[in-house]
Amino acid sequence: MIATALLGAMLTACAGGPATVPSRSASALTGPAGSDAADAWWRPRAGLSWQWQLTTPVDTSVRADVYDIDADDNAASVVAALHRSGRRVICYVNAGSWEPYRPDAGNYPKELLGRPLDGWPDERWLDVRRLDLLTPLLAHRLDECRTKGFDGVEPDNMDGYENDTGFPLTAADQLAFDRAVARLAHQRGLAVGLKNDFDQVAALRPDFDYGVDEQCAELRTCAALTAFVKAGRPVFDAEYAVPTSAFCAQTRGLGISAIRKHLELDAWRQTC
């Protein structure tokens, strides 16, 4: 879920303050040699470090291989600056719910809008069965990610069927929607991450290039994410309430790239 708080803290990593990453070739962040050209999108490998910041301005000095930043709030120049320092950049897009402050919010028909998200009263679940209406809307959002030069996408709220959405969504409905989002991303040359719907990871792993998760250590669900790691693909996890001393040994052992963040997802970050 997207945070709306302003940047309120400076980076404080376990290993010290912010540091600039030395420039590196793009191939250093990919999977097997030649995979980018063969598949036309970035194929990240397990073990990459990451930074997740949904506030602005983005602190581009954080020592991380991969940045995950907001699609609308960041210009192409931010993506280009990160690329120049050797980073890959993921585009945060809300796929499964509606936010009133997005530039295209008025394009969503009222029939798509369900109940508010728990804890986010201004945000509404979407009827993901309506691929006829949602596909062009999401295609437009992903087109903008591609135009700005992003390497991948983090489609959020991909688990409506497990929530009180106001629609009778099934696991099969969610699978169809998730796979449609993955296809749209790949058609635009974007890698795509599975967010939220890890109960169906066995079925969805072939369609997604990495996983993005919150609080697997706190909720004791990290083991479910290792299907990606076993396939050589990264899992990026963020913890909020649990100190690094309580989760780093576990996540390192499972091959998960875990960090501790503030809930508002500002620049502050602690690493393992």
Side-chain angles (χ1 to χ4, degrees):
M1 291 174 286
I2 187 166
T4 57
L6 295 175
L7 179 62
M10 294 299 292
L11 171 69
T12 307
C14 287
T20 302
V21 176
S23 180
R24 73 189 82 183
S25 67
S27 62
L29 303 182
T30 64
S35 62
D36 282 10
D39 297 316
W41 65 80
W42 170 49
R43 292 298 185 101
R45 55 173 172 75
L48 294 175
S49 60
W50 78 306
Q51 163 67 328
W52 195 14
Q53 183 181 344
L54 298 186
T55 61
T56 55
V58 169
D59 180 353
T60 59
S61 70
V62 176
R63 183 179 294 155
D65 297 319
V66 178
Y67 269 65
D68 188 340
I69 62 177
D70 190 77
D72 295 325
D73 293 344
N74 293 284
S77 58
V78 178
V79 180
L82 289 167
H83 281 161
R84 284 194 297 271
S85 57
R87 280 63 168 262
R88 293 286 191 167
V89 194
I90 292 171
C91 180
Y92 173 92
V93 171
N94 200 333
S97 64
W98 174 88
E99 299 158 309
Y101 51 83
R102 292 296 180 182
D104 62 352
N107 297 335
Y108 279 68
K110 290 184 179 179
E111 63 195 279
L112 283 177
L113 307 186
R115 291 177 178 160
L117 276 68
D118 186 22
W120 306 87
D122 62 339
E123 195 169 338
R124 307 274 291 278
W125 287 106
L126 293 171
D127 186 352
V128 298
R129 299 170 300 175
R130 296 300 308 272
L131 293 177
D132 57 327
L133 297 177
L134 283 170
T135 295
L137 294 166
L138 291 171
H140 176 71
R141 289 187 171 188
L142 297 180
D143 283 341
E144 292 194 338
C145 292
R146 177 184 59 183
T147 298
K148 289 182 177 181
F150 283 93
D151 302 293
V153 60
E154 179 210 336
D156 201 5
N157 292 321
M158 302 277 277
D159 59 348
Y161 79 107
E162 293 184 315
N163 291 274
D164 184 13
T165 63
F167 305 111
L169 304 181
T170 65
D173 294 329
Q174 193 69 54
L175 281 175
F177 176 74
D178 294 357
R179 286 172 173 152
V181 172
R183 284 194 300 272
L184 288 171
H186 287 157
Q187 287 165 2
R188 286 154 179 79
L190 295 167
V192 61
L194 179 63
K195 179 76 178 291
N196 309 116
D197 193 9
F198 284 100
D199 283 348
Q200 302 194 92
V201 66
L204 290 168
R205 184 197 54 75
D207 301 285
F208 288 82
D209 304 296
Y210 50 91
V212 181
D213 179 69
E214 296 171 281
Q215 301 165 275
C216 78
E218 181 181 354
L219 300 176
R220 301 181 181 181
T221 57
C222 292
L225 314 182
T226 58
F228 280 100
V229 178
K230 290 174 182 176
R233 303 173 189 181
V235 173
F236 303 118
D237 174 62
E239 301 291 332
Y240 304 114
V242 183
T244 54
S245 59
F247 69 80
C248 284
Q250 179 193 15
T251 55
R252 272 199 304 258
L254 293 173
I256 293 171
S257 301
I259 55 177
R260 189 180 181 194
K261 295 289 297 181
H262 292 148
L263 264 175
E264 56 267 33
L265 294 176
D266 57 16
W268 184 87
R269 162 182 175 268
Q270 288 183 325
T271 61
C272 290

